[in-house]
Amino acid sequence: MNIIIKTTLILSTLAISTQAMAKVNIFACEPEWAALAKEIGGNHIKVKSATTGLQDPHHIQARPSLLARARRADMLVCTGAELEVGWLPILLQKTGNPKIQPGQPGYFMATRAVRLLDIPSKLDRSQGDVHAAGNPHIQTDPRRIAKVAKALSTRLSQIDPSHAADYAKNYNDFNQRWTKAMQGWQQQAKALRGKSIVVQHKSWVYLEDWLGLKEIATLELKPGVPATTSHLSKVMGLAKSQHASAIIYVAYQSPKSANWLASKSGVTAIKLPFTVSGTPKANDLFSLFDDTITRLTQVIK
Amino acid sequence: MKKIIAASLCLATITPAWAESTAELKQQIEQLKKDNAAQIQALESRIEAAENNAVSQPATSTTAKQNSFNPAISLILNGSYSSYSQNPDDYTLPGFALGTEAGLEKEGFSLGESEITLSANTDQHWRGQMTLSFADDSGETSTEVEEAYIETLGLDNGLTVRAGRFFSGVGYLNGKHAHAWNFNDAPLLYRGLFGNQIKQDGLRLNWALPTDQYIELGLEAGNGQNFPAGGSHGGLGDWAAFIKTGGDIGDSASWQLGLSHYQADNIDGRKATTHSFSGDSKMNGLDVVYKWSPNGNDTERSLVLQSEYFQRDENGTVTATGVGSSSIDTNQKGWYAEGIYKFKPHWRTGLRYDRLTSNNTGDNTATLQQVGLLDEGHDPHRSSAMLEWIPSEFSRIRLQVNHDNSTRDSDNQVILQYTQALGSHGAHQF
């Protein structure tokens, strides 16, 4: 009898402690949101990103390892705005995980927390790979990341109310460090204001919005549509006449057209990390912007 | 001296006035500073608010339209031009029964199979999907319900239930629509054993296990009216079970392995092009897929290797009008292997090899021979090559060449095909 009571007690304490130890299992679609989840969630969560900084998050497939992870996830932290439209719906359908279905607290889309730019007035695929909700690449603007951080801390508290105080504390701590870091980056990037740049793909509208960079042309003919020779020579003309300061491309994109234009026009091509793990130095959100601003200011003076 | 004193006196009288105005000025300056500070602060907070506004999500005013709840529509337009050195109407696979849908595309220009898919969530529990396909059957356009099913939404514990008509989950290619295949035509194994593609009218239960390793179990029960089953059944006509597992190898590669079993007992008069079959049929198969791209980024280069093997045992009776009947005991096997390489953005090329073998016996060899169920000492095989131009996610043009030895008379086939996807965004299935 005694043994039974003891065992029950031990088992119930074990059950309670495992419950207390259970971490919120987060499925992040992109590395920047995995990094942000770590900042806000601290040690109450575990997170893994579905993509790396060297992959285009629009083009991956719903592969078996992702199905297994989505099956066990308590929460999705993704970009939304159709960036993951090719594979995320399949993961939701095939795993049938009720916690992460649209409309549930576990379905967190970062673009819902910020104002989007480039919302097309007309939806027509002859215009290339257009996103109806607007440009999804919001992680290049730290002000928008701050907004997402706030929304994420609120959402985490909703999913895991027992640690709500910690999430609020982590957010405040992050926000303070982030605001200070942002001031530093803005100071460092003062010289970039008003400078003209050529970009590979429309990946940088939010960075331009933040730093006051002026995009004069894209190397792609239309979003997702490769450049033609005549288009490239037009861009070269623009780069010269409008005194472009740099050509910018994402780590996962081919540098071919950017390098071609650089060699023809004398304008330097810069590879930027775009997200955490895009370059070796971009280890977290802070070093992502340290590296981005450093790479930009080394060329644009 | 007097003058100086007078002047000093004058100054002295002036001084208070001057001093007074300085104080006033100072005060005014202070006031200005104060005002400015307030103004500067006001401006600063306005800038902050504007910045905030610039990055914050505006309160969205969504106006509900009449068509807001319409299903997502995806239209697949598919057409081809085919050229054969043999007459496609004479096409056979010795040792295998060709289902009524299995055969060659007609020669010359052909509409192929164009299809339209509608899908939406029904309510909080279900989603529904239907695919209608349009094909040309000797000059007449036929419409077919390719798939029409409902499926549970977030049933929990990794369970999904599907009911209606759907492509069976056995094998790797079978569950995918033909326009998502890497070649224009079905592998010989699909043609010979599946009647091109196994369709179920029934129920499916899927269970994704809560393991780190992806493991999915599937169980299907059907009414057994579609090839390789046939005839009508009051209850269970055919059933299938499969298990799939897979994972990643680093960031660059991933794989999937599947095992399948399909069984139909008491098939009653299954129609094939030359005869009808009654009896039992069962199949076992293995499928494996490996995908690679540098750092897992397939926009520049990628490699897909896939292979499937199936083996089928059938026992029963073959009947052909005007020919007679025979008992039959089959041992039919087939496999294919294909490799697809994306060598630059928007361009892919691939090779495929198919082979079938059979060893069928029965009490009336003459009948079996006449209906084409004896291998006549020949293993059907085929080699194919293709080149694709994929200008966007939504369109593809493919040139395919087959050296087809389905029979002893080899056939050289050239197929030029377009496929376009209009409407809702396609799915990136593994």
Side-chain angles (χ1 to χ4, degrees):
Chain A
M1 188 65 193
N2 239 347
I3 289 171
I4 293 173
I5 292 171
K6 269 186 189 163
T7 333
T8 323
L9 271 174
I10 290 167
L11 281 177
S12 53
T13 34
L14 268 178
I16 288 164
S17 57
T18 46
Q19 187 131 44
M21 268 160 52
K23 295 184 174 192
V24 180
N25 188 349
I26 296 181
F27 182 106
C29 290
E30 290 85 20
E32 65 269 22
W33 307 131
L36 187 65
K38 273 182 208 151
E39 297 279 356
I40 309 299
N43 49 22
H44 299 313
I45 62 140
K46 61 175 188 182
V47 63
K48 203 166 174 194
S49 171
T51 53
T52 74
L54 298 178
Q55 295 168 354
D56 184 340
H58 190 62
H59 283 117
I60 65 157
Q61 291 182 333
R63 60 184 196 274
S65 64
L66 298 186
L67 284 165
R69 269 147 64 184
R71 157 76 172 85
R72 286 169 296 131
D74 298 312
M75 184 184 191
L76 290 178
V77 180
C78 297
T79 299
E82 297 169 14
L83 184 64
E84 300 97 351
V85 67
W87 50 278
L88 191 56
I90 306 177
L91 296 185
L92 296 180
Q93 253 171 51
K94 288 192 84 170
T95 61
N97 181 345
K99 291 180 192 163
I100 56 170
Q101 300 294 328
Q104 297 301 316
Y107 184 85
F108 181 88
M109 295 293 128
T111 46
R112 299 288 300 161
V114 301
R115 185 188 204 92
L116 297 185
L117 303 175
D118 283 355
I119 297 172
S121 51
K122 186 177 160 225
L123 286 177
D124 182 342
R125 290 222 171 102
S126 68
Q127 297 311 303
D129 207 350
V130 288
H131 295 266
N135 191 314
H137 309 298
I138 57 169
Q139 82 283 5
T140 59
D141 176 359
R143 299 169 305 174
R144 284 178 163 86
I145 287 184
K147 296 281 161 206
V148 177
K150 185 153 197 257
L152 183 59
S153 79
T154 313
R155 189 65 69 86
L156 269 171
S157 313
Q158 196 183 339
I159 288 173
D160 179 22
S162 59
H163 297 116
D166 287 346
Y167 297 132
K169 192 175 142 276
N170 291 348
Y171 165 70
N172 283 332
D173 176 55
F174 169 77
N175 197 37
Q176 256 170 32
R177 288 181 291 133
W178 194 247
T179 312
K180 196 162 159 252
M182 257 201 289
Q183 282 163 357
W185 295 322
Q186 269 157 260
Q187 192 63 31
Q188 204 186 338
K190 258 189 175 161
L192 304 183
R193 198 155 283 275
K195 292 283 161 57
S196 301
I197 54 166
V198 174
V199 299
Q200 165 102 26
H201 172 80
K202 283 223 152 258
S203 318
W204 304 104
V205 291
Y206 298 101
L207 182 83
E208 293 156 8
D209 184 49
W210 174 49
L211 295 177
L213 285 162
K214 202 172 117 201
E215 179 184 310
I216 54 169
T218 57
L219 291 175
E220 286 179 344
L221 188 59
K222 286 164 184 174
V225 182
T228 56
T229 329
S230 67
H231 174 70
L232 279 179
S233 57
K234 212 175 95 188
V235 175
M236 188 165 74
L238 274 170
K240 281 182 175 163
S241 68
Q242 302 212 25
H243 307 290
S245 303
I247 305 153
I248 291 173
Y249 66 96
V250 178
Y252 63 69
Q253 289 164 345
S254 160
K256 264 185 215 151
S257 335
N259 286 341
W260 178 89
L261 181 62
S263 69
K264 294 278 174 190
S265 64
V267 180
T268 312
I270 312 174
K271 174 166 102 172
L272 292 184
F274 194 54
T275 180
V276 175
S277 77
T279 55
K281 278 187 181 164
N283 301 314
D284 59 14
L285 287 169
F286 291 89
S287 50
L288 164 64
F289 282 93
D290 286 342
D291 196 35
T292 303
I293 303 291
T294 306
R295 281 169 185 259
L296 282 170
T297 50
Q298 269 169 359
V299 173
I300 312 176
K301 294 201 161 118
Chain B
M1 188 63 191
K2 253 188 191 169
K3 263 185 188 171
I4 291 172
I5 291 166
S8 338
L9 272 174
C10 261
L11 271 176
T13 47
I14 290 164
T15 313
W18 173 66
E20 196 182 331
S21 70
T22 323
E24 207 171 284
L25 272 175
K26 265 188 186 161
Q27 205 181 344
Q28 276 178 7
I29 285 168
E30 279 308 308
Q31 189 57 42
L32 262 178
K33 266 188 185 167
K34 230 188 245 173
D35 288 355
N36 269 350
Q39 266 175 4
I40 285 167
Q41 208 178 0
L43 277 175
E44 271 174 355
S45 59
R46 274 176 63 188
I47 287 171
E48 202 179 316
E51 287 257 286
N52 236 2
N53 252 345
V55 299
S56 297
Q57 174 79 353
T60 45
S61 61
T62 42
T63 42
K65 291 185 200 122
Q66 280 286 305
N67 61 0
S68 293
F69 290 112
N70 279 357
I73 300 174
S74 165
L75 177 65
I76 305 291
L77 294 177
N78 193 19
S80 58
Y81 181 86
S82 311
S83 155
Y84 308 113
S85 61
Q86 304 280 345
N87 184 353
D89 296 335
D90 298 340
Y91 183 82
T92 57
L93 272 176
F96 293 81
L98 279 180
T100 43
E101 278 194 34
L104 295 184
E105 194 98 66
K106 86 172 194 205
E107 204 159 15
F109 290 106
S110 143
L111 184 59
E113 208 169 65
S114 295
E115 61 181 47
I116 187 160
T117 299
L118 307 173
S119 68
N121 291 344
T122 318
D123 58 18
Q124 71 275 30
H125 297 304
W126 309 96
R127 64 179 284 275
Q129 178 168 326
M130 175 158 91
T131 303
L132 293 174
S133 74
F134 307 92
D136 252 9
D137 271 343
S138 46
E140 292 213 4
T141 304
S142 66
T143 310
E144 193 191 354
V145 179
E146 203 166 73
E147 287 194 294
Y149 61 82
I150 59 161
E151 192 172 62
T152 55
L153 272 180
L155 200 61
D156 209 354
N157 298 315
L159 290 169
T160 314
V161 179
R162 183 182 280 198
R165 174 178 295 181
F166 48 86
F167 288 125
S168 168
V170 299
Y172 174 69
L173 282 180
N174 196 75
K176 294 173 186 288
H177 287 226
H179 62 81
W181 296 352
N182 294 322
F183 289 86
N184 169 66
D185 42 18
L188 291 185
L189 136 70
Y190 276 51
R191 210 177 257 169
L193 299 183
F194 293 2
N196 257 19
Q197 208 166 358
I198 299 175
K199 233 181 257 176
Q200 293 278 29
D201 282 15
L203 268 177
R204 176 198 290 177
L205 177 73
N206 275 83
W207 183 39
L209 271 65
T211 45
D212 283 347
Q213 171 79 23
Y214 165 71
I215 303 171
E216 184 200 331
L217 301 175
L219 199 59
E220 291 169 0
N223 67 3
Q225 78 174 18
N226 303 313
F227 200 94
S232 61
H233 302 267
L236 184 70
D238 58 352
W239 64 275
F242 53 86
I243 177 166
K244 292 180 200 298
T245 183
D248 291 343
I249 306 164
D251 281 340
S252 301
S254 43
W255 60 277
Q256 184 178 290
L257 180 76
L259 290 171
S260 313
H261 175 82
Y262 171 92
Q263 193 164 335
D265 295 330
N266 305 316
I267 296 169
D268 181 21
R270 173 184 81 200
K271 293 273 176 298
T273 43
T274 55
H275 63 272
S276 83
F277 167 84
S278 295
D280 300 341
S281 177
K282 68 175 182 243
M283 284 195 283
N284 290 304
L286 170 77
D287 60 271
V288 56
V289 187
Y290 171 86
K291 295 189 181 185
W292 171 90
S293 56
N295 299 311
N297 179 11
D298 68 359
T299 44
E300 295 284 315
R301 278 183 308 141
S302 70
L303 176 71
V304 180
L305 299 175
Q306 76 189 54
S307 182
E308 293 186 59
Y309 165 85
F310 270 82
Q311 175 267 333
R312 183 171 77 181
D313 284 318
E314 294 195 323
N315 270 295
T317 318
V318 164
T319 321
T321 13
V323 177
S325 70
S326 168
S327 71
I328 188 165
D329 182 1
T330 78
N331 180 10
Q332 299 163 309
K333 300 179 239 223
W335 63 275
Y336 76 87
E338 64 185 52
I340 311 294
Y341 185 56
K342 184 177 197 173
F343 55 99
K344 61 188 259 187
H346 311 285
W347 286 89
R348 302 201 315 163
T349 184
L351 294 172
R352 177 183 65 185
Y353 183 77
D354 284 282
R355 195 171 192 98
L356 301 178
T357 45
S358 65
N359 183 12
N360 308 334
T361 51
D363 61 5
N364 188 341
T365 318
T367 300
L368 293 185
Q369 182 172 17
Q370 267 189 289
V371 299
L373 281 169
L374 293 186
D375 69 355
E376 291 157 7
H378 174 77
D379 284 351
H381 59 276
R382 180 178 67 177
S383 306
S384 312
M386 70 86 178
L387 178 70
E388 285 176 350
W389 176 49
I390 312 166
S392 77
E393 276 191 85
F394 311 102
S395 69
R396 176 182 66 209
I397 290 175
R398 177 191 287 152
L399 176 67
Q400 183 180 329
V401 185
N402 292 338
H403 183 67
D404 189 344
N405 285 298
S406 289
T407 59
R408 280 180 197 280
D409 303 319
S410 56
D411 187 12
N412 290 314
Q413 306 166 345
V414 181
I415 305 156
L416 185 64
Q417 181 198 13
Y418 68 79
T419 306
Q420 310 213 340
L422 287 71
S424 66
H425 201 290
H428 304 174
Q429 294 257 24
F430 182 80

